[in-house]
């Protein structure tokens, strides 16, 4: 037995060395015969090279971003890629006759959407659904550099709103804070997958306001997600008719939010994130703002509860896309299919959305803590249609279904 194994391994080793020798000679052959720029250089060519003219087409390197990236080439390739990926896209819902009408660089107007929410409310999942649409440029959390605070008014509001408008217009100048923060926090860029495709090889591209602006202007769909700005302030953006932005307010049961924030001490001790009183005051403020904005700007604001999205991802996504003027594409179907069943741990992982997730708090949280949240959140929960748990056995029982209908009064 042993002998036979030996015999086979000798044969194998022999075969392998023959192959290696053959491959090696082939390689050197090629290297010798290849029209190598240096060997062809005569005096005339030499001068032309010095003039900067490209004499021989260079082989395309495996990593095109070694050395200094050719920005015009990246833009040209991206332009072509977007066109190709959207060649079967149904533009009817967008209201545009042709793709160029949605491109800033052709003088068109992109479809813009902004998700407004708070930490641990399912925005990563929702944001990634929108980013699954081909040709989407994802402005991910413009206010990461503000750390763990809520923007509710002065002193941050003015600058925050002009940042949002600038980004949605693909105008990234005067955003030093944003780029400086990104230099040490790449996740600010990496969620924007189409931008990151280039920056991952050459990080400087992502810190370059001019490249970012030019790249951004190629994309017909522009989405943004923000967890640090309250809805009331969004009026300023809705008023801007040129922007023609649509806003999605994403709300989640405060008990689910707080349970998710407890995980790994997500944001302790920042009060804006850690105190249920502040979370629920924001929920009330958002409710009032939602009523007013829906009245003032009909069809420009949609309200979603995270639980509905997690329980009925496909139906809810269809409703959302209809509102935003987007068409469902195979890539979105694929995203929903692959992200709504599997469970993988990780703080900002979206692989965790399943039917159990919205109500996990029922079996994880102490009733004492739930009672504390419910006391601080009674009004917010009534407004947004979340039922109280009366005691521990009620909370964990199957009969207790935390959701009920709600409506936004104007
Ligand atoms: C595009 O969508 C519209 C509206 O849903 C539909 O009437 C039309 O048939 C679709 N066009 C194509 C080519 O699928
Ligand atoms: C818990 O609350 C339910 C619903 O109000 C009630 O029927 C039940 O008796 C309560 N159980 C205890 C142990 O207090």
């Amino acid at each position: 037995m042993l002998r036979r194994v030996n015999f086979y391994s000798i044969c194998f080793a022999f075969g392998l060395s023959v192959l290696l020798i053959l491959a090696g000679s082939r390689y050197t052959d090629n290297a010798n015969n290849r029209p190598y720029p240096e060997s062809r250089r005569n005096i005339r060519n030499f001068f032309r090279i010095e003039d900067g003219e490209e004499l021989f087409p260079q082989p395309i390197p495996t990593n095109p971003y070694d050395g200094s990236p050719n920005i015009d080439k990246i833009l040209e390739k991206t332009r072509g890629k977007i066109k190709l990926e959207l060649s079967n896209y149904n533009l009817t819902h967008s209201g545009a006759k042709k793709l160029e009408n949605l491109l800033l660089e052709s003088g068109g107007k992109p479809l813009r959407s902004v998700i407004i929410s708070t930490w641990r409310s399912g925005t990563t999942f929702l944001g990634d659904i929108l980013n699954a649409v081909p040709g989407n440029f994802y402005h991910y959390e413009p206010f990461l550099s503000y750390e763990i605070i809520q923007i509710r008014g002065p002193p941050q509001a003015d600058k925050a709103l002009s940042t949002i408008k600038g980004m949605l217009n693909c105008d990234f100048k005067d955003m030093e804070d944003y780029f400086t923060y990104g230099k040490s926090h790449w996740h600010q860029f990496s969620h924007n997958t189409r931008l990151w495709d280039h920056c991952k090889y050459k990080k400087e591209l992502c810190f370059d306001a001019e490249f970012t602006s030019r790249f951004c202007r190629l994309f017909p769909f522009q989405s943004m997600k923000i967890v640090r700005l309250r809805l009331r302030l969004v009026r300023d953006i809705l008023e801007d008719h040129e922007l023609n932005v649509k806003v999605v307010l994403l709300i989640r049961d405060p008990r689910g939010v707080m349970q998710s924030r407890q995980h790994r001490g997500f944001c302790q001790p920042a009060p804006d994130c850690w105190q249920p009183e502040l979370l629920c005051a924001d929920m009330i403020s958002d409710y009032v703002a939602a009523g007013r904005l829906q009245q003032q700007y009909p069809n420009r604001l949609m309200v979603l509860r995270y639980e509905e999205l997690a329980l009925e991802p496909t139906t809810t996504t269809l409703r959302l896309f209809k509102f935003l003027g987007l068409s469902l594409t195979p890539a979105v179907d694929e995203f929903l299919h692959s992200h709504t069943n599997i469970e993988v741990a990780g703080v900002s992982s979206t692989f965790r959305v399943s039917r159990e997730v919205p109500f996990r708090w029922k079996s994880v949280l102490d009733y004492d803590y739930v009672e504390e949240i419910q006391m601080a959140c009674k009004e917010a929960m009534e407004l947004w249609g979340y039922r109280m748990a009366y005691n521990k056995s009620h909370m964990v029982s199957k009969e207790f279904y935390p959701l009920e209908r709600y409506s936004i009064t104007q």
Side-chain angles (χ1 to χ4, degrees):
M1 183 68 195
L2 194 65
R3 193 167 279 193
R4 180 174 288 182
V5 170
N6 267 340
F7 174 70
Y8 281 135
S9 34
I10 287 165
C11 284
F12 177 71
F14 179 73
L16 193 66
S17 18
V18 169
L19 274 177
L20 280 174
I21 290 164
L22 281 177
S25 67
R26 224 192 143 98
Y27 175 78
T28 28
D29 257 341
N30 263 355
N32 287 339
N33 295 339
R34 199 171 43 188
Y36 196 62
E38 299 299 319
S39 68
R40 275 218 201 161
R41 234 183 226 185
N42 56 33
I43 296 293
R44 229 181 103 234
N45 283 347
F46 182 77
F47 283 115
R48 285 171 63 187
I49 286 171
E50 293 296 285
D51 285 341
E53 195 181 319
E54 205 179 324
L55 277 180
F56 308 101
Q58 295 297 309
I60 295 166
T62 24
N63 179 347
Y65 311 115
D66 278 346
S68 136
N70 185 336
I71 286 180
D72 288 322
K73 220 173 242 171
I74 293 177
L75 297 177
E76 193 49 49
K77 267 176 76 176
T78 306
R79 210 173 275 128
K81 192 170 179 216
I82 292 170
K83 210 164 184 166
L84 183 71
E85 284 182 343
L86 291 173
S87 52
N88 287 322
Y89 185 85
N90 190 342
L91 280 173
T92 314
H93 308 98
S94 74
K97 291 246 168 357
K98 50 188 203 302
L99 183 60
E100 285 68 28
N101 298 347
L102 296 175
L103 306 181
L104 273 176
E105 78 156 2
S106 323
K109 201 186 266 191
L111 282 191
R112 300 177 168 106
S113 60
V114 177
I115 300 168
I116 297 288
S117 192
T118 183
W119 302 279
R120 311 306 291 168
S121 299
T123 55
T124 304
F125 179 55
L126 184 56
D128 286 351
I129 293 178
L130 294 183
N131 195 40
V133 178
N136 185 68
F137 190 87
Y138 186 8
H139 303 267
Y140 177 84
E141 296 296 345
F143 308 126
L144 283 173
S145 63
Y146 289 55
E147 307 281 339
I148 313 283
I149 59 146
Q150 280 299 332
I151 304 168
R152 303 185 177 96
Q156 302 96 347
D158 284 351
K159 191 170 173 214
L161 289 167
S162 78
T163 299
I164 296 175
K165 284 187 185 177
M167 285 186 175
L168 291 175
N169 279 314
C170 293
D171 176 359
F172 285 80
K173 65 173 185 289
D174 307 326
M175 290 189 195
E176 283 79 18
D177 294 352
Y178 172 78
F179 288 108
T180 306
Y181 185 85
K183 283 178 189 171
S184 48
H185 301 83
W186 293 346
H187 65 288
Q188 179 176 272
F189 308 115
S190 63
H191 288 266
N192 187 350
T193 46
R194 292 172 188 94
L195 177 68
W196 191 246
D197 273 348
H198 301 283
C199 310
K200 68 183 168 199
Y201 299 111
K202 187 83 183 164
K203 303 293 183 301
E204 287 75 10
L205 282 175
C206 266
F207 316 147
D208 179 340
E210 200 197 319
F211 169 74
T212 310
S213 296
R214 291 180 68 194
F215 190 76
C216 172
R217 289 166 62 83
L218 307 175
F219 289 83
F221 310 117
Q222 306 267 337
S223 68
M224 179 181 281
K225 99 163 175 88
I226 307 175
V227 296
R228 290 168 174 78
L229 181 97
R230 297 329 317 149
L231 185 68
R232 198 160 47 83
L233 299 172
V234 169
R235 172 189 306 273
D236 207 57
I237 295 160
L238 287 174
E239 256 167 20
D240 189 331
H241 287 286
E242 263 312 294
L243 269 186
N244 194 29
V245 76
K246 298 219 178 184
V247 174
V248 180
L249 174 67
L250 184 65
I251 291 289
R252 183 178 182 183
D253 188 326
R255 295 162 296 190
V257 171
M258 293 314 292
Q259 182 247 311
S260 185
R261 289 181 187 175
Q262 272 197 335
H263 187 66
R264 303 191 196 172
F266 176 71
C267 53
Q268 207 167 18
D272 274 351
C273 182
W274 200 249
Q275 290 181 8
E277 293 81 1
L278 291 176
L279 165 66
C280 290
D282 285 340
M283 287 177 73
I284 295 171
S285 151
D286 286 350
Y287 182 88
V288 174
R292 291 188 184 151
L293 292 177
Q294 269 186 342
Q295 190 173 41
Q296 203 172 352
Y297 304 99
N299 309 320
R300 303 276 296 281
L301 171 71
M302 177 174 179
V303 177
L304 268 187
R305 288 188 301 186
Y306 166 72
E307 293 79 9
E308 299 162 36
L309 181 65
L311 295 173
E312 303 276 348
T314 312
T315 325
T316 312
T317 301
L318 272 173
R319 207 151 55 85
L320 175 72
F321 273 44
K322 194 167 176 222
F323 163 74
L324 294 175
L326 292 169
S327 297
L328 218 58
T329 69
V332 177
D333 280 340
E334 168 64 24
F335 177 85
L336 287 175
H337 183 75
S338 57
H339 287 72
T340 49
N341 305 310
I342 314 153
E343 290 217 7
V344 178
V347 157
S348 267
S349 163
T350 53
F351 290 90
R352 301 197 297 162
V353 179
S354 71
R355 299 185 63 82
E356 290 77 46
V357 172
F359 306 132
R360 181 170 293 149
W361 63 268
K362 284 175 59 178
S363 52
V364 172
L365 289 184
D366 278 346
Y367 182 72
D368 287 347
Y369 185 47
V370 169
E371 198 173 25
E372 187 191 320
I373 300 171
Q374 291 182 158
M375 281 199 326
C377 295
K378 190 168 182 298
E379 192 185 349
M381 288 173 59
E382 262 171 34
L383 294 173
W384 286 112
Y386 295 111
R387 293 192 174 106
M388 299 279 171
Y390 296 118
N391 51 46
K392 184 169 170 72
S393 51
H394 181 226
M395 175 175 86
V396 298
S397 69
K398 278 216 163 58
E399 288 68 46
F400 170 55
Y401 189 69
L403 290 185
E404 61 185 348
R405 294 182 65 87
Y406 75 100
S407 62
I408 293 176
T409 49
Q410 294 172 351

